[in-house]
Amino acid sequence: MTLTRHMAYVTKGLTGAALLTLAFSAQARELSVSTVLSDAFPWGQAAEKWAELVEERSGGELTLRVYPNSQLVSGDQTREFSAMRSGLIDAAVGSTINWSPQVPELNLFSLPFFIPDETAVDAVTGGEAGEMVFEAIESRGVIPLAWGENGFRQVSNSRGPIAEPDDLDGLKIRVVGSPLFQDTFNALGADPTQMSWTDAQPALTTGAVDGQENPLSVFDVARIDQVGQEHLTLWNYMNDPLIFAVNQQVWQTLSKEQQTLLRETALEAGEWETAMTREQESERLAAIQERGVTVTELTDEQYQAFVDATQSVYEKWAPRIGESLVEAAQTAIDGR
């Protein structure tokens, strides 16, 4: 064999191998999916359900690998959206709270005592306001696909029942890293303390902080009552929807069929997880009460007192979120 023929043979072999690799890559594409909580919680189960549906429907040609506990952002959940936008993360099932620093419109759901119940949540996410929120996310380089649910956030503490704003006076409450949360608890006379959940648990145990706020699912699964949280108030002061989303550049590399598959499976996983989360609420509440936690449910008059006490927060934040978005959400709530 001449040197020329030998080189041509080697080149042909390499080309064939490269083409085979490309074909295999096209057939078996894996996307990373970030989520803050593991599958011990409904949030993590939502991501796992999405991955399960994608693998089933794609025949293994497209797979989602779920990375729980914010491990792709070294435990800093507030960096998740930025990491997805930049392409360090392909996709995520994320929280409106955690993504709000990069997408101010997501603070809509954190306006205190603005969205009172589940029918109001559905009216907002399923209507014009929900479309406006998705447009805001897409304008920042991320493709939103579907809604899920982390649930209404309730407040607990180690001191005593909370039934009126004065009961929060001076209480050190652990909050997530959002200025809106700081403003809300300041307006109620509390002492909001920003810290990660990893730091919060020992702080609650030692009494360095008096209380915290989280959905019932987190309170129940994380056994927050075991760190001194003996008093729980159901006040539905804000809701935290989940959002299934994909990096825009990754989305553009997918075929139309793959895009349709991801969107349809995200919608199905979101509906499944939302229904499951809501169905489990009464069961979780019963389990929490059986463990000796005192549960306070607000009357309409008590609820209104909290609305009035945080009106200044609403007035400050509505313009930052966008008056037109807040008005669209209010219209949806009023018309539900």
Side-chain angles (χ1 to χ4, degrees):
M1 181 183 296
T2 66
L3 180 61
T4 301
R5 287 181 63 194
H6 176 75
M7 291 301 294
Y9 178 83
V10 171
T11 302
K12 181 178 179 180
L14 287 173
T15 303
L19 288 172
L20 183 61
T21 300
L22 287 172
F24 180 81
S25 298
Q27 291 176 352
R29 179 90 180 267
E30 180 180 279
L31 304 182
S32 61
V33 180
S34 175
T35 189
V36 169
L37 296 178
S38 72
D39 60 5
F41 302 83
W43 188 342
Q45 292 165 19
E48 292 291 350
K49 183 69 171 181
W50 190 20
E52 175 187 315
L53 291 171
V54 168
E55 185 166 12
E56 287 177 359
R57 308 278 169 82
S58 73
E61 293 183 3
L62 181 65
T63 59
L64 304 181
R65 183 176 180 184
V66 179
Y67 294 84
N69 302 316
S70 303
Q71 59 183 286
L72 296 180
V73 285
S74 303
D76 185 354
Q77 58 207 56
T78 61
R79 290 174 46 212
E80 185 177 68
F81 187 86
S82 295
M84 180 167 47
R85 180 170 57 186
S86 67
L88 294 176
I89 294 172
D90 296 326
V93 179
S95 154
T96 58
I97 299 171
N98 293 332
W99 294 1
S100 63
Q102 291 80 37
V103 187
E105 290 86 350
L106 292 176
N107 284 301
L108 173 72
F109 300 97
S110 297
L111 277 176
F113 306 99
F114 178 62
I115 302 178
D117 53 37
E118 291 170 351
T119 59
V121 174
D122 294 342
V124 172
T125 58
E128 181 186 2
E131 293 174 0
M132 293 170 72
V133 169
F134 270 22
E135 288 170 2
I137 294 172
E138 187 164 352
S139 72
R140 291 168 174 88
V142 169
I143 306 297
L145 302 177
W147 297 97
E149 181 157 299
N150 196 26
F152 281 98
R153 298 178 78 90
Q154 319 296 0
V155 66
S156 70
N157 81 104
S158 59
R159 297 287 190 88
I162 295 174
E164 58 184 43
D166 286 348
D167 292 332
L168 280 155
D169 189 39
L171 286 184
K172 292 182 178 179
I173 304 292
R174 176 267 174 181
V175 295
V176 297
S178 165
L180 178 47
F181 282 68
Q182 296 273 348
D183 288 348
T184 296
F185 281 91
N186 279 328
L188 293 170
D191 180 9
T193 303
Q194 177 186 328
M195 62 177 63
S196 69
W197 184 241
T198 302
D199 294 333
Q201 289 174 300
L204 290 166
T205 301
T206 62
V209 294
D210 302 309
Q212 62 83 51
E213 48 77 53
N214 258 307
L216 283 184
S217 61
V218 175
F219 191 101
D220 181 30
V221 177
R223 293 296 192 269
I224 296 177
D225 51 287
Q226 294 182 354
V227 290
Q229 299 298 285
E230 299 174 355
H231 304 277
L232 175 68
T233 294
L234 305 181
W235 64 347
N236 284 15
Y237 90 111
M238 64 146 294
N239 190 273
D240 183 26
L242 302 177
I243 298 173
F244 295 70
V246 180
N247 167 275
Q248 190 173 60
Q249 292 179 329
V250 169
W251 182 256
Q252 292 170 348
T253 66
L254 299 173
S255 67
K256 292 295 183 184
E257 291 76 15
Q258 290 173 326
Q259 290 177 356
T260 299
L261 173 67
L262 275 184
R263 191 182 299 277
E264 289 180 348
T265 51
L267 287 166
E268 186 173 334
E271 290 173 358
W272 171 84
E273 185 267 342
T274 298
M276 176 188 66
T277 300
R278 293 178 180 179
E279 288 170 1
Q280 292 176 346
E281 285 285 278
S282 59
E283 181 181 329
R284 292 192 186 283
L285 183 58
I288 290 167
Q289 289 176 304
E290 286 175 6
R291 297 200 296 267
V293 176
T294 299
V295 176
T296 300
E297 298 189 52
L298 302 182
T299 65
D300 291 343
E301 292 76 15
Q302 289 172 324
Y303 181 86
Q304 188 59 45
F306 284 100
V307 174
D308 295 341
T310 54
Q311 183 62 29
S312 62
V313 182
Y314 175 94
E315 293 171 355
K316 175 181 178 179
W317 279 89
R320 298 184 182 188
I321 295 167
E323 295 284 5
S324 60
L325 174 56
V326 175
E327 289 173 6
Q330 187 66 67
T331 299
I333 294 169
D334 293 341
R336 72 188 190 283

